[in-house]
Amino acid sequence: MEPNTEPKLNKNRTMLWFVVIAVIVAGVFVMNRQKESGAIKIGVLSILSGDGAAWGESAKRGFDLAVEEYNNQAVQSGGRRIDLVYENTNGETKLAVTGYKKLVEIDKVFAVLGPLFQAEVAAVAPLVGEDNLPVIT
């Protein structure tokens, strides 16, 4: 007897739609904050290795798909591209904090998507308050 995969498929579809909506909302925030030309950099804090890598990789595929769709339309209409900059948190609060700092201070992103785990969100929350940066977790 094969296991029931329908709940897993529904969960993956829900995650994909969440990711698409998050990228669009972040794009709107960034467009309003940044008026110069060039690509818009959005940072992503995700679990790309370790125990939660399946969730992080699923989110990454969703982000990449949403940005690819957006960029195809942006190029056709003369709009600005979005470039995603990924930082691997490995599900650890310390890596989430250092990744966030790198995205903001070195990569100069204008919005951040993630992190995924509640402990990571709590660790970066004080920094987000200081930076006045749009963050969607």
Side-chain angles (χ1 to χ4, degrees):
M1 178 176 246
E2 292 196 24
N4 186 1
T5 59
E6 188 172 319
K8 186 176 181 181
L9 288 174
N10 286 337
K11 196 179 277 187
N12 286 341
R13 285 185 187 136
T14 302
M15 178 66 136
L16 177 61
W17 280 111
F18 169 76
V19 168
V20 169
I21 291 168
V23 168
I24 291 169
V25 169
V28 169
F29 277 123
V30 171
M31 295 288 242
N32 288 334
R33 290 187 78 214
Q34 185 183 13
K35 300 296 181 194
E36 61 218 38
S37 62
I40 299 164
K41 281 197 225 177
I42 297 177
V44 181
L45 293 170
S46 189
I47 306 164
L48 302 176
S49 62
D51 291 338
W55 290 339
E57 286 295 329
S58 179
K60 183 180 186 304
R61 284 190 301 274
F63 288 140
D64 290 342
L65 178 62
V67 168
E68 180 182 343
E69 290 290 322
Y70 172 84
N71 284 342
N72 287 339
Q73 290 185 353
V75 167
Q76 291 174 1
S77 65
R80 296 175 59 197
R81 291 181 40 82
I82 291 177
D83 289 338
L84 296 177
V85 181
Y86 287 94
E87 284 298 318
N88 182 13
T89 67
N90 199 30
E92 299 175 18
T93 57
K94 184 177 179 180
L95 291 176
V97 169
T98 57
Y100 176 84
K101 287 181 180 179
K102 179 189 174 289
L103 290 171
V104 173
E105 296 169 7
I106 296 172
D107 296 318
K108 305 286 188 210
V109 299
F110 288 90
V112 176
L113 302 173
L116 296 176
F117 285 168
Q118 184 177 358
E120 296 173 303
V121 173
V124 299
L127 301 172
V128 171
E130 294 172 10
D131 295 330
N132 194 26
L133 192 70
V135 176
I136 299 173
T137 62

